[in-house]
């Protein structure tokens, strides 16, 4: 297929995304997402590539005053230093992971989007195990790519945030995110022996965060939205997997991520008090657009194309995936984490609440925000 024909086909398939990207009607928000969406969904720049270079236009801010005037951030930094762990020695990498072992299922059968269909009944027990293995590999691959984005975003916001206490804390997050890349890559290559490319929607969000020059937008996107997504997804998989190494790995990672969201809420709560109403609205609209992308678009298309494109049309797959137990559980945990934080930092005004309500997401607004949650609360999904 020619490049142009492929671009047109991708554009057609991305229709729902572009419709969603116009949902807020805020042109500045739309403009900031269109470039990344074009690169991610139409040109599919990461597909088949060994690397992708993105321009990063933010300013690095030196703080010559070295003022240590934010005690909550200091406490978080101290907690981060004393909670460091070595992924090479503290995880039991000798644990054998056999995707065909029925006693230690990677994910339960009924979480697979196709498990309730006739097509599933026609698969042999071995084929069903392989399905669960590949679906998990797709999900963990997206975790890995997201962690690489988090590593770079943590570097960028450490440079750009103006306060020393925030920079010091940020340095610990850089180390944490490096470790997360290490563990997900290790699990995928050493245990599952399969790695998928980055999903186009995730690419779009990561591209938008990397290339936006405003540091607080990077903060909002990474520390609140993507970290919230991560907490939801990691929590879901930690609960449903019967594989002990993955469970142990996710327990460690969730404990780190809890600090990252806490950090985002502390910094943005202070930062957003300084914004004009127009600036605040733009961030509120942007967070809503990203919520839509997160809610609707992570539907394992690459997995579908590999395994199920011959059996189901794209619209059928979309319905199966959206209605699956896996996506339901994931959406619930993710928005339970994101919505209270948006409220805490001032991005859930009466102007935007009806839109969240229409998506069924307002029920989460009375939940606890990150500063009020411990790592144990998150691990136990409280
Ligand atoms: Fe992470
Ligand atoms: Fe993180």
């Amino acid at each position: 297929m020619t490049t142009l024909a492929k671009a047109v086909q991708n554009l057609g398939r991305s229709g729902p995304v572009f419709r969603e990207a116009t949902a807020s009607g805020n042109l500045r928000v739309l403009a900031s997402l269109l470039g990344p969406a074009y690169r991610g969904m139409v040109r599919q720049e990461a597909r088949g590539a060994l690397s992708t270079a993105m321009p990063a236009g933010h300013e690095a801010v030196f703080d010559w005053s070295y003022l240590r005037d934010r005690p909550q951030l200091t406490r978080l930094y101290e907690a981060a230093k004393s909670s460091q762990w070595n992924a090479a020695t503290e995880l039991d990498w000798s644990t054998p992971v056999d995707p065909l072992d029925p006693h230690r299922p990677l994910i339960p059968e009924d979480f697979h989007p196709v498990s309730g269909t006739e097509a599933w009944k026609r698969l042999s027990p071995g084929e069903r195990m392989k399905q669960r293995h590949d679906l998990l590999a797709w999900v963990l691959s997206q975790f890995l790519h997201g962690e690489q984005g988090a590593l770079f975003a943590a570097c960028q916001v450490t440079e750009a945030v103006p306060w020393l206490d925030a920079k010091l804390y940020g340095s610990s997050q850089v180390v944490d995110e490096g470790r997360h890349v290490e563990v997900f890559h290790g699990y995928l290559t050493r245990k599952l022996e399969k790695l998928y490319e980055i999903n186009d929607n995730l690419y779009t969000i990561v591209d938008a965060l990397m290339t936006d020059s405003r540091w607080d937008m990077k903060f909002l996107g990474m520390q609140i939205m993507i970290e919230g997504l991560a907490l939801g997804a990691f929590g879901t998989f930690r609960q449903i997997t019967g594989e002990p190494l993955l469970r142990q790995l996710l327990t460690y990672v969730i404990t780190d991520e809890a600090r990252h969201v806490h950090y985002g809420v502390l910094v943005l709560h202070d930062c957003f008090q300084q914004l004009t109403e127009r600036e605040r609205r733009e961030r509120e609209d942007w967070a809503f657009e990203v919520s839509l992308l997160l809610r609707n678009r992570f539907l394992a298309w690459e997995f579908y194309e590999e395994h199920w494109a011959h059996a189901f049309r794209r619209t059928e797959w979309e319905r199966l995936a959206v209605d699956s137990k896996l996506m339901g559980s994931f959406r619930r945990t993710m928005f339970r984490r994101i919505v209270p934080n948006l409220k805490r930092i001032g991005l859930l005004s009466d102007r935007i609440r009806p839109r969240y309500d229409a998506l069924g997401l307002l029920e989460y607004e009375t939940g606890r925000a990150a500063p009020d949650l411990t790592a144990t609360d998150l691990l136990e999904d409280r």
Side-chain angles (χ1 to χ4, degrees):
M1 195 183 290
T2 65
T3 312
L4 182 62
K6 192 157 176 19
V8 170
Q9 185 189 62
N10 294 339
L11 192 60
R13 287 178 177 175
S14 311
V17 177
F18 285 109
R19 268 202 305 283
E20 283 158 11
T22 61
S24 73
N26 186 324
L27 285 179
R28 290 171 66 87
V29 169
L30 184 60
S32 75
L33 286 173
L34 271 185
Y38 175 70
R39 291 189 287 274
M41 296 179 206
V42 178
R43 291 183 55 89
Q44 297 183 316
E45 291 199 351
R47 293 255 184 133
L50 287 179
S51 63
T52 303
M54 296 181 194
H58 64 283
E59 289 182 338
V61 177
F62 282 78
D63 178 7
W64 305 123
S65 74
Y66 297 97
L67 209 57
R68 301 291 306 273
D69 58 349
R70 294 177 189 264
Q72 287 178 301
L73 287 172
T74 302
R75 279 199 293 280
L76 206 54
Y77 178 46
E78 291 302 317
K81 283 188 290 182
S82 57
S83 309
Q84 292 297 307
W85 49 284
N86 184 342
T89 54
E90 284 175 53
L91 294 179
D92 185 4
W93 289 102
S94 69
T95 307
V97 176
D98 176 3
L100 301 182
D101 182 350
H103 302 295
R104 289 177 168 193
L106 294 173
I107 53 174
E109 183 164 323
D110 61 349
F111 276 70
H112 192 294
V114 175
S115 62
T117 67
E118 287 300 314
W120 187 260
K121 289 184 192 149
R122 289 193 288 272
L123 298 180
S124 69
E127 287 170 330
R128 291 180 191 177
M129 288 294 191
K130 168 97 170 74
Q131 282 288 318
R132 288 145 80 180
H133 167 272
D134 283 10
L135 183 60
L136 181 69
W138 180 85
V139 171
L140 295 187
S141 296
Q142 304 317 313
F143 290 177
L144 168 64
H145 303 313
E147 292 291 358
Q148 188 178 177
L151 171 61
F152 298 168
C155 296
Q156 291 187 359
V157 298
T158 302
E159 290 175 346
V161 67
W163 316 317
L164 184 66
D165 283 312
K167 288 178 185 297
L168 291 179
Y169 176 78
S171 71
S172 76
Q173 187 179 342
V174 172
V175 181
D176 292 349
E177 305 296 11
R179 188 168 50 233
H180 300 171
V181 171
E182 177 190 348
V183 293
F184 284 117
H185 183 254
Y187 193 86
L188 281 158
T189 53
R190 292 165 66 180
K191 300 300 177 183
L192 298 186
E193 299 180 3
K194 183 150 190 168
L195 188 60
Y196 284 84
E197 292 185 317
I198 186 168
N199 168 268
D200 298 342
N201 296 280
L202 182 59
Y203 179 94
T204 298
I205 296 175
V206 169
D207 180 310
L209 295 179
M210 289 292 110
T211 56
D212 199 309
S213 61
R214 300 161 295 183
W215 71 265
D216 71 297
M217 293 295 274
K218 293 182 196 293
F219 239 94
L220 173 60
M222 188 47 76
Q223 305 295 129
I224 306 293
M225 308 304 292
I226 301 273
E227 296 281 3
L229 161 88
L231 274 178
F234 298 165
T236 295
F237 279 86
R238 183 180 171 277
Q239 279 177 6
I240 66 176
T241 188
E243 199 290 288
L245 175 58
L246 180 59
R247 202 176 150 81
Q248 186 190 29
L249 181 162
L250 289 171
T251 303
Y252 274 102
V253 173
I254 287 171
T255 310
D256 289 345
E257 302 295 6
R259 290 192 301 274
H260 304 168
V261 191
H262 189 160
Y263 169 55
V265 173
L266 288 181
V267 169
L268 290 180
H269 177 267
D270 289 356
C271 171
F272 284 176
Q273 314 248 339
Q274 324 292 329
L275 296 178
T276 65
E277 177 55 17
R278 185 178 144 193
E279 289 168 333
R280 194 202 61 76
R281 278 183 181 203
E282 187 185 349
R283 280 136 185 90
E284 190 169 70
D285 288 340
W286 193 89
F288 177 73
E289 299 297 347
V290 173
S291 292
L292 276 175
L293 278 173
L294 298 180
R295 180 179 182 272
N296 298 346
R297 309 307 309 168
F298 286 93
L299 302 178
W301 291 114
E302 297 78 11
F303 175 82
Y304 159 79
E305 282 159 16
E306 180 183 350
H307 289 292
W308 293 102
H310 67 283
F312 297 106
R313 291 194 302 274
R314 288 180 71 85
T315 47
E316 287 174 313
W317 173 262
E318 185 163 344
R319 187 182 51 76
L320 286 170
V322 167
D323 295 344
S324 67
K325 226 171 151 177
L326 182 65
M327 280 300 292
S329 165
F330 165 55
R331 276 196 301 267
R332 200 167 44 250
T333 6
M334 170 170 65
F335 286 109
R336 255 182 91 193
R337 299 305 168 215
I338 291 178
V339 174
N341 291 332
L342 289 175
K343 189 169 184 176
R344 179 68 66 93
I345 61 178
L347 296 189
L348 199 63
S349 72
D350 287 344
R351 188 184 70 99
I352 202 91
R353 290 176 84 255
R355 293 171 181 235
Y356 281 99
D357 199 16
L359 296 178
L361 298 178
L362 263 197
E363 61 172 300
Y364 302 114
E365 72 168 326
T366 52
R368 285 180 291 171
D372 306 327
L373 286 164
T374 64
T376 313
D377 289 332
L378 295 168
L379 289 170
E380 293 177 3
D381 195 28
R382 291 197 290 238

